[in-house]
Amino acid sequence: MKIFISADIEGCAGVALAEETHRDEAVYGRFARQMTAEVVAACEAALEAGADEIVVKDGHGNASNIDPLAMPDHVTLIRGKSGHPYNMMSGIDETFDGVLYLGYHAAAGNPGFVLSHTSTGNSLYIELNGRRMSEFLLNTCTASTHGVPVLFLSGDRTICEEAKSLIPSIRTAVTKDGLGASTYCVPAGEVLRRIREGVKDAVGQLAREQAAGGRGAGLLPLPEQFTYQVTFKDWKKAYQMSFYPGMEAVDTFTDRLVTSRWLDVVTAHCFVVY
């Protein structure tokens, strides 16, 4: 069984301030170590539940947060950014059996977590077919394009609730709650326990479904047409990005792209919000 892991940092245990996610800040190191610990916990649980190959994509910042020397056997860590528009999902294809998300967070414009954003801080919010688009939704559409089910997510309560609403079969591990600019943090040891338990259950269930001849739940039904709409914080950025091929200005702050190809959406996203 081959598993793909996409890992971020904002949803990891204890993270509550932007500087804790920036590698040039003094406090960053402890949270990069926690991100590594959560990835290792997920890998060990997946291997125990039947996975025999795991690929981890470091999905935060310049993608050099996870300690490569801490990875268990049978785990490949993808560091750095290739430039592929899949970004946090770079490396996924049809050969994988399931996807796990670690350290995920609420979407841009969502008040459920103080560090809510979608890919960068340039958008006030992004909508996909009328729904606020999180990195979870973005990346799950990518996984579903390749027919790979999403099995597990850890992160703040808001993103866990969104994940359950879109994929009822997904296992989740809540790492924190947000209220205004404050964060109520679950202890790191308990977060690791929740990750191990949730991943083991999710991958074990997939193994049982495959043994019975099934593919496993966790695919998101994709529409025939995608409407991708970005409302920027800066009207000058909105004006500039309205010239991206296929984008059109909706109003002073908002641009829109309509397409039937998911690759058009992820490619536009990697250009216009960065």
Side-chain angles (χ1 to χ4, degrees):
M1 187 191 310
K2 188 177 180 182
I3 298 295
F4 187 92
I5 296 178
S6 173
D8 206 351
I9 200 170
E10 286 88 356
C12 291
V15 177
L17 303 172
E19 54 263 36
E20 294 167 346
T21 71
H22 297 160
R23 65 181 307 105
D24 294 332
E25 300 289 345
V27 294
Y28 161 83
R30 72 189 68 169
F31 296 103
R33 289 190 290 273
Q34 179 61 28
M35 182 182 181
T36 297
E38 293 182 19
V39 168
V40 169
C43 289
E44 291 176 342
L47 291 166
E48 185 179 345
D52 49 29
E53 183 178 357
I54 300 174
V55 175
V56 177
K57 177 67 184 82
D58 189 326
H60 177 70
N62 69 354
S64 65
N65 311 278
I66 301 168
D67 182 358
L69 305 182
M71 293 300 99
D73 291 342
H74 311 293
V75 176
T76 299
L77 174 63
I78 303 176
R79 308 181 75 212
K81 292 192 171 185
S82 68
H84 193 285
Y86 280 177
N87 196 0
M88 297 174 76
M89 299 294 283
S90 182
I92 196 168
D93 59 29
E94 289 81 2
T95 66
F96 287 88
D97 296 290
V99 171
L100 315 176
Y101 298 132
L102 297 172
Y104 271 48
H105 52 80
N110 192 307
F113 178 42
V114 65
L115 298 181
S116 62
H117 65 279
T118 301
S119 300
T120 71
N122 286 326
S123 66
L124 184 61
Y125 55 85
I126 302 173
E127 294 184 338
L128 182 66
N129 287 23
R131 184 184 184 102
R132 294 288 174 91
M133 191 181 81
S134 61
E135 293 167 23
F136 164 78
L137 178 55
L138 173 73
N139 294 337
T140 298
C141 286
T142 296
S144 293
T145 297
H146 291 280
V148 185
V150 176
L151 311 177
F152 174 85
L153 176 143
S154 68
D156 62 79
R157 186 175 301 277
T158 296
I159 196 61
C160 287
E161 290 175 350
E162 178 189 339
K164 292 291 284 186
S165 71
L166 288 172
I167 300 181
S169 63
I170 196 171
R171 267 71 162 186
T172 62
V174 174
T175 63
K176 63 194 73 180
D177 286 274
L179 179 63
S182 65
T183 303
Y184 294 65
C185 300
V186 176
E190 174 63 14
V191 167
L192 293 176
R193 187 195 67 78
R194 292 179 183 183
I195 289 171
R196 290 191 187 98
E197 183 178 279
V199 169
K200 188 174 179 180
D201 285 349
V203 176
Q205 179 62 30
L206 176 62
R208 290 188 291 273
E209 290 173 354
Q210 288 183 333
R215 174 63 173 166
L219 290 175
L220 187 66
L222 298 176
E224 294 183 0
Q225 181 171 279
F226 301 98
T227 299
Y228 168 80
Q229 186 164 294
V230 184
T231 297
F232 292 93
K233 295 176 179 178
D234 181 1
W235 64 265
K236 297 181 291 298
K237 180 78 169 177
Y239 174 74
Q240 178 187 11
M241 293 306 159
S242 70
F243 293 98
Y244 179 87
M247 298 290 287
E248 61 174 350
V250 176
D251 57 40
T252 304
F253 290 91
T254 305
D255 297 331
R256 177 191 297 151
L257 172 74
V258 179
T259 179
S260 60
R261 296 194 336 137
W262 178 246
L263 188 60
D264 293 340
V265 174
V266 291
T267 303
H269 183 73
C270 280
F271 281 89
V272 303
V273 302
Y274 284 86

